[in-house]
Amino acid sequence: MTAPRVDLLTRQLDIAWALFDYHLGKDLDERVCLWEPAPHCWTVRPDAEGRWIADYSDQEPDPVPALTIGWVTWHIGYWWTTTIGHCFGSGAPAREEITWPGSVPATVDWLRGLHDDWRAHLADLTDADLDSTDRTATLPWGQGMRLADVAGWVTVELTKNVSEVGLIRNLYYARGGEAR
């Protein structure tokens, strides 16, 4: 008997999440999260109302900016909120409305909640659900894709973002950041 495809997708997600969870609990604080590794850098910063807004452009900048961990964690929250909202809800807030929570503990809680929500939705899917394009029809980056392909993309994107967080964190300490 072969395992359902959803089992493979959740196992792959669990591996990526375990790597991320390692970085979330390892010397991560606001100082590390907001450290800018280069002069040309995207980050998150409070606006006049105190909401933490991410640097963003609809066009890929040239040169591509370096990133802060704060920006990468906002980015994860943005695409996961949007993907869950479109695939399992009635839509998602506009990008401008999805803000960084403003602290590492709040960000960790936000991302863990998104992970748990996504994983719970995955666990209930059938092969027919995975082959369907109905749930992805309004997703800005998944129109016409099967839900299985979007689920695979989520894990790949998370894995890429986890490696970015790890690299930025390692650079912070390699360039003289102090360990707690």
Side-chain angles (χ1 to χ4, degrees):
M1 181 171 154
T2 54
R5 287 183 297 158
V6 75
D7 291 346
L8 174 62
L9 289 167
T10 55
R11 280 194 316 273
Q12 290 170 334
L13 175 66
D14 290 347
I15 291 166
W17 186 258
L19 293 169
F20 193 41
D21 205 36
Y22 171 80
H23 290 302
L24 291 176
K26 187 127 174 104
D27 299 328
L28 193 60
D29 59 20
E30 286 75 17
R31 173 182 47 110
V32 178
C33 225
L34 299 175
W35 174 71
E36 297 185 12
H40 179 56
C41 190
W42 276 1
T43 191
V44 290
R45 61 188 95 245
D47 66 8
E49 289 83 43
R51 297 174 336 128
W52 286 79
I53 306 300
D55 296 330
Y56 190 85
S57 174
D58 287 327
Q59 302 297 318
E60 183 80 19
D62 184 19
V64 175
L67 306 170
T68 65
I69 292 173
W71 190 93
V72 175
T73 56
W74 164 82
H75 178 69
I76 294 168
Y78 160 68
W79 60 252
W80 229 342
T81 297
T82 303
T83 303
I84 292 169
H86 283 279
C87 292
F88 298 105
S90 58
R95 178 190 45 79
E96 299 82 9
E97 295 175 32
I98 301 172
T99 59
W100 192 67
S103 73
V104 170
T107 300
V108 169
D109 288 346
W110 178 43
L111 297 177
R112 282 195 174 129
L114 289 168
H115 163 263
D116 293 347
D117 194 18
W118 179 253
R119 195 177 189 296
H121 284 300
L122 281 183
D124 292 335
L125 297 175
T126 65
D127 280 348
D129 293 329
L130 291 172
D131 289 332
S132 174
T133 59
D134 294 344
R135 292 181 187 267
T136 63
T138 62
L139 186 62
W141 48 79
Q143 295 172 345
M145 292 177 66
R146 296 175 312 141
L147 186 55
D149 296 322
V150 170
W153 167 83
V154 163
T155 299
V156 169
E157 184 70 15
L158 179 62
T159 302
K160 176 190 76 77
N161 292 150
V162 168
S163 68
E164 291 169 334
V165 168
L167 176 62
I168 297 164
R169 187 189 150 279
N170 289 345
L171 282 173
Y172 174 83
Y173 289 111
R175 292 193 174 174
E178 297 178 24
R180 286 198 264 172

